[in-house]
């Protein structure tokens, strides 16, 4: 172990919120009805009649957001600590795909309450997908199950949310965790010498018990947030009602949504201007997956400052555009508080790490 060891717990924290998602999701399935005529009423029934139903739904919604937050945090820390370098290329790739699946879970689950905000946000989101050249129209119809957002779209999203995505997630998560167990934790290049002087920490019981302690704290925080700020249901979707003027996606799509608002109307060579940033975001996601094969400098020299700079620019852009989209400093403060907390935990565990492991 070494002075950067605190970042190793973010992956476990993501796994914890995923487990909460699975357990609360199964309980919600007992009462939820995936049709346009009954979806909203069934969620309303869960929140007002089922004992502690409101708390279960609130836990499900809050843990979904916290899972995505920690997934992003886990990816960012692994990226800047160069944890993707050989022989962990496949671990990185499966981790990136798991993040994409987490975003897909958020997108597909957003429509399920069938309220106004979810309905129009899904319409805007699928419209954006439809702007992609060549495959856009097919993608739009595939997502919606037709030309418009209807009850068929709701049923389709429900199928993806509770069956298809969990199947992919189970396989990829199994591979990801197996590789972590086989290869062990990566060590940042600047901490390799320090780590070589220390006795490696056993996963069972030492690391697992620390993970469990963090999970217990996270459970307490999650329950407190869910109880104090229960997730609202809103009004039932009306496909014939005018759209909201200030409709916004979930926070993790905000930087892309806000970018598209700066794009003027028009087209060039038959391609709409709006499609250009969508293609650039898609290219950025692909390059992120391929980073272990692109960053060869880390193998040759132990440094890859260009990739570090690119990462800093990307994170700054995402956080800045999210803050701009909400017209609020809150996203920047959340990031600053997270960085401060990591440094406090790192400082607070320094003394413990100097002691030999039993």
């Amino acid at each position: 172990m070494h002075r950067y060891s605190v970042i190793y717990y973010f992956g476990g924290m993501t796994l914890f919120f995923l487990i909460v998602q699975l357990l609360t999701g199964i309980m919600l399935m007992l009462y939820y009805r995936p049709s346009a005529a009954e979806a909203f009423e069934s969620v309303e029934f869960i929140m007002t009649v089922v004992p502690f139903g409101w708390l279960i739904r609130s836990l499900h919604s809050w843990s979904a957001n916290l899972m995505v937050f920690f997934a992003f945090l886990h990816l960012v820390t692994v990226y800047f600590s160069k944890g993707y370098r050989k022989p962990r290329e496949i671990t990185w790739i499966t981790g990136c795909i798991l993040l994409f699946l987490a975003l897909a879970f958020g997108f597909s689950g957003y429509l399920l309450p069938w309220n106004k905000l979810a309905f129009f946000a899904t319409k805007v989101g699928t419209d954006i997908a439809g702007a992609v050249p060549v495959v856009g129209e097919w993608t739009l119809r595939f997502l919606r199950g037709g030309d418009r957002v209807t009850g068929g779209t709701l049923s389709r999203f429900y199928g993806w949310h509770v069956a298809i995505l969990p199947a992919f997630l189970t396989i990829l998560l199994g591979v990801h965790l197996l590789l972590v167990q086989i290869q062990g934790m990566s060590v940042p290049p600047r901490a390799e010498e320090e780590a070589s002087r220390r006795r490696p920490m056993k996963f069972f019981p030492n690391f697992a018990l620390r993970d469990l302690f963090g999970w217990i704290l996270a459970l307490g925080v999650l329950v407190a947030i869910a109880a104090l700020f229960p997730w609202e249901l809103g009004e039932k979707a009306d496909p014939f009602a005018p759209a909201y003027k200030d409709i916004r996606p979930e926070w993790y799509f905000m930087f892309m949504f806000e970018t598209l608002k700066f794009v003027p109307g028009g087209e060039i060579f038959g391609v709409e201007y709006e499609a250009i940033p969508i293609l650039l975001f898609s290219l950025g996601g692909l390059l992120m997956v391929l980073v272990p094969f692109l960053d060869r400098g880390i193998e040759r020299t132990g440094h890859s400052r260009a990739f570090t700079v690119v990462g800093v620019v990307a994170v700054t852009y995402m956080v800045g555009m999210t803050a701009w989209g909400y017209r609020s400093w809150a996203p920047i403060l959340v990031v600053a508080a997270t960085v401060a907390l990591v440094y406090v935990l790192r400082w607070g565990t320094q003394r413990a790490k100097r002691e030999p492991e039993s």
Side-chain angles (χ1 to χ4, degrees):
M1 303 303 288
H2 47 80
R3 62 187 184 279
Y4 299 103
S5 301
V6 66
I7 65 176
Y8 291 157
Y9 296 94
F10 296 144
M13 200 61 73
T14 308
L15 178 61
F16 166 74
F17 287 113
L18 172 64
I19 294 172
V20 174
Q21 283 297 97
L22 295 175
L23 295 177
T24 54
I26 290 171
M27 287 187 274
L28 292 173
M29 285 173 61
L30 298 176
Y31 295 95
Y32 179 74
R33 300 187 185 94
S35 71
E38 298 180 298
F40 182 87
E41 286 76 6
S42 65
V43 177
E44 194 173 46
F45 179 81
I46 291 171
M47 296 180 65
T48 57
V49 179
V50 177
F52 297 103
W54 65 273
L55 181 60
I56 298 300
R57 180 179 179 251
S58 193
L59 287 172
H60 192 72
S61 299
W62 278 110
S63 67
N65 285 273
L66 290 171
M67 180 185 71
V68 174
F69 175 78
F70 276 98
F72 269 117
L73 191 59
H74 181 45
L75 181 137
V76 168
T77 53
V78 172
Y79 179 87
F80 285 113
S81 63
K82 312 299 179 185
Y84 50 75
R85 67 189 189 281
K86 190 178 180 179
R88 295 181 173 81
E89 296 95 329
I90 303 301
T91 311
W92 169 264
I93 292 172
T94 54
C96 290
I97 299 176
L98 284 170
L99 174 64
F100 297 150
L101 285 178
L103 299 179
F105 268 109
F107 185 69
S108 58
Y110 200 56
L111 180 65
L112 301 188
W114 198 246
N115 56 31
K116 283 185 177 179
L117 181 61
F119 177 85
F120 288 109
T122 302
K123 184 178 183 305
V124 172
T126 49
D127 278 341
I128 292 173
V132 177
V134 183
V135 298
E137 184 175 348
W138 178 87
T139 305
L140 184 144
R141 291 180 58 82
F142 175 76
L143 291 173
R144 293 181 175 177
D147 294 325
R148 296 179 295 113
V149 177
T150 63
T153 312
L154 175 66
S155 301
R156 179 165 292 214
F157 274 39
Y158 182 70
W160 280 94
H161 194 72
V162 304
I164 301 174
L165 292 177
F168 284 121
L169 182 132
T170 301
I171 296 171
L172 284 169
L173 184 62
V175 173
H176 189 76
L177 295 178
L178 179 63
L179 289 174
V180 171
Q181 288 298 315
I182 293 175
Q183 298 171 336
M185 301 293 186
S186 65
V187 178
R190 66 180 62 182
E192 285 182 334
E193 183 180 349
E194 177 187 350
S196 64
R197 297 195 302 267
R198 299 179 184 278
R199 182 184 301 174
M201 178 185 289
K202 295 179 181 177
F203 185 82
F204 291 107
N206 304 56
F207 190 87
L209 284 176
R210 287 166 171 77
D211 241 351
L212 182 61
F213 177 72
W215 289 15
I216 293 172
L217 290 179
L219 179 62
V221 172
L222 175 63
V223 172
I225 294 176
L228 294 173
F229 306 100
W231 210 263
E232 296 182 358
L233 179 58
E235 300 179 40
K236 184 175 181 177
D238 181 2
F240 301 104
Y244 289 154
K245 292 182 180 179
D246 298 322
I247 193 165
R248 294 171 177 172
E250 289 280 33
W251 60 269
Y252 35 86
F253 294 124
M254 179 60 81
F255 75 96
M256 290 187 283
F257 181 74
E258 200 62 23
T259 300
L260 293 175
K261 290 171 68 174
F262 285 100
V263 180
E267 62 179 42
I268 181 171
F269 302 122
V271 177
E272 294 183 12
Y273 290 151
E274 192 178 49
I276 296 174
I278 296 173
L279 292 174
L280 290 177
F281 285 132
S282 302
L283 178 62
L286 177 62
L287 293 177
M288 182 181 74
V289 173
L290 297 178
V291 157
F293 308 103
L294 300 174
D295 184 8
R296 308 314 301 176
I298 193 67
E299 295 295 333
R300 293 194 303 269
T301 65
H303 303 286
S304 58
R305 292 189 177 86
F307 280 83
T308 300
V309 171
V310 169
V312 170
V313 171
V315 172
T316 303
Y317 180 82
M318 294 169 66
V319 175
M321 290 303 289
T322 302
W324 178 262
Y326 285 108
R327 305 296 190 271
S328 168
W329 288 93
I332 297 174
L333 294 177
V334 169
V335 172
T338 303
V339 173
L341 179 62
V342 170
Y343 272 92
V344 168
L345 291 174
R346 179 182 155 187
W347 174 80
T349 54
Q350 283 298 298
R351 183 172 180 179
K353 288 173 186 170
R354 294 191 186 101
E355 300 295 332
E357 295 294 336
S358 58

